Amino acid sequence: MRKLSYLPYKYFLILLKFNNKNIQISIMKQEDQDEISVSQSLGISRRFAKYLLKQVAHYDRVRKAKEEYQKLTKRIQSLTVAFSDYEIDGLIQYKDKDNDSYTRFMRDAGLESHQVLQLYITYKFGAQKGAMFTLQEFILGMIRLRCNSVKDLKKLTPELLQKIKKENKYKKLYKYYFGVISLGKNVIRFTEAITLWESLLKDQFKEITDFIQFCQAKPQEFQTITKVSFDLWCQVWKFFETIGNDYQKFDENDAWPLLIFEYVEFKKK
């Protein structure tokens, strides 16, 4: 064991994984404990604590994470002031047409006309309730993007667009947003899905327009009572990614959802 102690932490984990699975599990639990410890002692979210722990070496992690947080004090204070310029009842949010700090924030950041970028920012901020940000979500998101002000975020817009394209994050953002909109319930309304498919996929798949029209032509009663599951949400992406309008690739024996089968039959008529 003395030799093992001199190995880098990540290699220590690999060796333990092969030799003793129980020890591996214990170490993973320790990471959770570290997050809880940092979160509770600093009064921050576990997500923020996890970010801090990732910035430091594995040795004496909790203490170093707290020191990392202290280094961010001035930035946190500055971002707190920036948040207060938009805050409505403790949130950047759309409350009603007269109380809409979310749209104002996106406009000031130069993101109002970029649906995908708004989604990316929501993802980076770790927003749990869609078009609204808590103070900690705002602070952590801005720190992760290395922005000290809303003006900094606006300057970053072209770079972020390139980053999304280069890293091909569209699919990941698409899946992430379902979780945000469904609030963990694993289903969303059919009418809601139609709106989101149009806004999120129109720049990805040109054939999505026909699919949207097909869905909108469904009887009103169907649209009202039908729910879209996460599986259907993912299968719509998969269909347009692999099939598009080349229906010769469509195999009826594959486990496509009924809505996709109906759409293909509609297009083949």
Side-chain angles (χ1 to χ4, degrees):
M1 286 302 295
R2 289 185 64 185
K3 290 184 178 180
L4 286 177
S5 65
Y6 291 103
L7 289 171
Y9 183 78
K10 61 181 178 180
Y11 296 113
F12 188 41
L13 284 180
I14 292 171
L15 287 172
L16 289 176
K17 184 176 181 181
F18 285 105
N19 290 299
N20 191 327
K21 292 183 179 179
N22 291 330
I23 295 178
Q24 169 71 9
I25 293 170
S26 175
I27 289 175
M28 294 304 291
K29 287 182 177 179
Q30 182 61 50
E31 291 182 354
D32 289 338
Q33 291 172 8
D34 289 348
E35 287 178 20
I36 293 170
S37 177
V38 173
S39 172
Q40 291 180 346
S41 62
L42 295 176
I44 60 176
S45 66
R46 280 193 61 176
R47 191 167 182 271
F48 202 159
K50 185 175 183 179
Y51 168 82
L52 293 170
L53 288 164
K54 282 185 175 181
Q55 308 309 305
V56 300
H58 290 289
Y59 177 73
D60 201 8
R61 300 173 76 228
V62 172
R63 180 181 64 81
K64 290 184 176 180
K66 292 178 182 178
E67 290 177 352
E68 188 69 20
Y69 183 78
Q70 294 305 316
K71 294 177 184 177
L72 296 171
T73 299
K74 288 186 178 179
R75 292 182 66 188
I76 290 172
Q77 291 173 345
S78 176
L79 290 169
T80 300
V81 172
F83 180 86
S84 67
D85 291 338
Y86 298 92
E87 175 261 328
I88 298 175
D89 295 338
L91 298 166
I92 292 178
Q93 62 171 316
Y94 174 85
K95 193 170 183 180
D96 54 54
K97 63 180 182 180
D98 297 318
N99 296 278
D100 181 10
S101 58
Y102 177 85
T103 300
R104 184 161 62 88
F105 168 72
M106 289 297 178
R107 183 175 61 246
D108 291 350
L111 305 173
E112 190 176 23
S113 60
H114 297 284
Q115 181 70 36
V116 172
L117 264 184
Q118 288 188 35
L119 178 54
Y120 183 71
I121 294 301
T122 303
Y123 166 72
K124 275 295 187 181
F125 283 20
Q128 299 301 304
K129 295 184 178 180
M132 62 174 63
F133 308 130
T134 65
L135 173 60
Q136 287 207 17
E137 287 170 348
F138 176 80
I139 289 174
L140 180 55
M142 294 290 276
I143 288 174
R144 291 181 67 196
L145 291 169
R146 298 176 182 172
C147 294
N148 294 319
S149 66
V150 177
K151 287 184 179 180
D152 286 346
L153 182 57
K154 186 173 185 178
K155 292 177 183 177
L156 198 62
T157 299
E159 182 181 329
L160 290 178
L161 284 169
Q162 290 300 317
K163 182 180 178 69
I164 292 170
K165 291 179 181 179
K166 183 178 179 180
E167 298 180 5
N168 195 22
K169 288 185 176 291
Y170 293 105
K171 189 173 184 178
K172 188 172 185 178
L173 294 173
Y174 177 77
K175 289 183 177 180
Y176 162 79
Y177 205 57
F178 182 93
V180 172
I181 296 299
S182 68
L183 297 176
K185 296 179 181 178
N186 207 40
V187 293
I188 60 176
R189 297 190 302 273
F190 188 75
T191 51
E192 196 170 36
I194 292 174
T195 301
L196 291 172
W197 281 327
E198 185 172 19
S199 61
L200 298 178
L201 300 184
K202 64 181 179 182
D203 294 329
Q204 295 301 302
F205 309 112
K206 61 182 180 181
E207 300 86 4
I208 197 66
T209 301
D210 290 344
F211 180 71
I212 295 298
Q213 292 175 349
F214 166 77
C215 290
Q216 290 174 332
K218 287 284 187 180
Q220 190 61 46
E221 183 180 2
F222 175 90
Q223 293 192 40
T224 301
I225 64 174
T226 300
K227 304 291 184 182
V228 172
S229 67
F230 182 64
D231 179 64
L232 174 54
W233 181 259
C234 293
Q235 291 283 22
V236 168
W237 179 288
K238 181 181 177 181
F239 175 81
F240 287 103
E241 183 180 45
T242 59
I243 307 297
N245 60 1
D246 186 357
Y247 303 117
Q248 291 184 346
K249 295 180 181 178
F250 186 79
D251 187 346
E252 294 184 355
N253 294 317
D254 288 342
W256 292 106
L258 179 60
L259 185 68
I260 297 295
F261 272 103
E262 292 177 346
Y263 174 67
V264 172
E265 289 179 2
F266 168 76
K267 292 297 291 182
K268 283 183 176 181
K269 289 181 180 179

